[in-house]
Amino acid sequence: MVHLTGEEKGYVTALWGKVNVDDVGGEALGRLLVVYPWTQRFFDSFGDLSNASAVMGNAKVKAHGKKVLDSFSNGLKNLDNLKGTFAKLSELHCDKLHVDPENFRLLGNVLVCVLARNFGKEFTPQVQAAYQKVVAGVATALAHKYH
């Protein structure tokens, strides 16, 4: 559960309505893989991840980034039940994929950076603060099965 004020929910939904999940998702996942290269070990089947250009231009990275943001979008519709919304994904990432739950926090922070880059002055400190709460809540929900 994420505790947002009405104003913060307004910031989140107003900006998210303008997000191109194809582009932002691919960029966020790509940046995660470049900035934190140890996260690449979960994406062996994605082909060439040998350098930043290869990662950022990789069709599988872009497609999976879109998939990630589609799930994130679903979470935004269920802010009062993030644990329930992400329960199956938490179980998958914990039990089958063995993803370090710290990676969820890292991806959330990268997403915030990508939103700031894409929306510039529109991504005010108040909007950022609201998004930081949301990505922290999503990361906690995804890590739930680890506890």
Side-chain angles (χ1 to χ4, degrees):
M1 178 179 241
V2 176
H3 298 286
L4 297 175
T5 66
E7 188 175 37
E8 289 170 328
K9 285 181 184 178
Y11 293 147
V12 169
T13 43
L15 187 78
W16 198 253
K18 300 174 186 178
V19 170
N20 179 325
V21 294
D22 292 5
D23 294 341
V24 172
E27 183 178 349
L29 182 59
R31 284 176 179 260
L32 175 80
L33 298 174
V34 171
V35 176
Y36 306 104
W38 60 87
T39 62
Q40 292 179 14
R41 72 184 183 97
F42 301 105
F43 301 97
D44 289 341
S45 66
F46 280 27
D48 184 13
L49 301 176
S50 61
N51 59 55
S53 294
V55 171
M56 298 309 288
N58 187 300
K60 290 183 178 180
V61 170
K62 292 178 182 181
H64 192 68
K66 179 191 182 313
K67 188 176 179 180
V68 167
L69 280 205
D70 284 341
S71 292
F72 186 82
S73 294
N74 189 42
L76 292 179
K77 296 173 192 165
N78 297 287
L79 289 172
D80 293 333
N81 185 24
L82 289 176
K83 284 183 184 173
T85 301
F86 290 106
K88 288 182 181 177
L89 280 175
S90 178
E91 190 171 324
L92 171 70
H93 285 81
C94 174
D95 296 339
K96 184 176 179 189
L97 301 175
H98 309 290
V99 173
D100 181 344
E102 176 66 9
N103 293 351
F104 307 134
R105 189 185 66 77
L106 294 175
L107 181 57
N109 287 333
V110 170
L111 174 59
V112 169
C113 291
V114 171
L115 291 173
R117 191 187 82 68
N118 278 271
F119 290 98
K121 291 181 181 178
E122 193 175 346
F123 199 75
T124 64
Q126 297 89 337
V127 173
Q128 179 181 352
Y131 268 93
Q132 290 293 165
K133 286 183 180 182
V134 171
V135 299
V138 169
T140 299
L142 284 167
H144 181 69
K145 292 291 181 187
Y146 292 79
H147 305 295

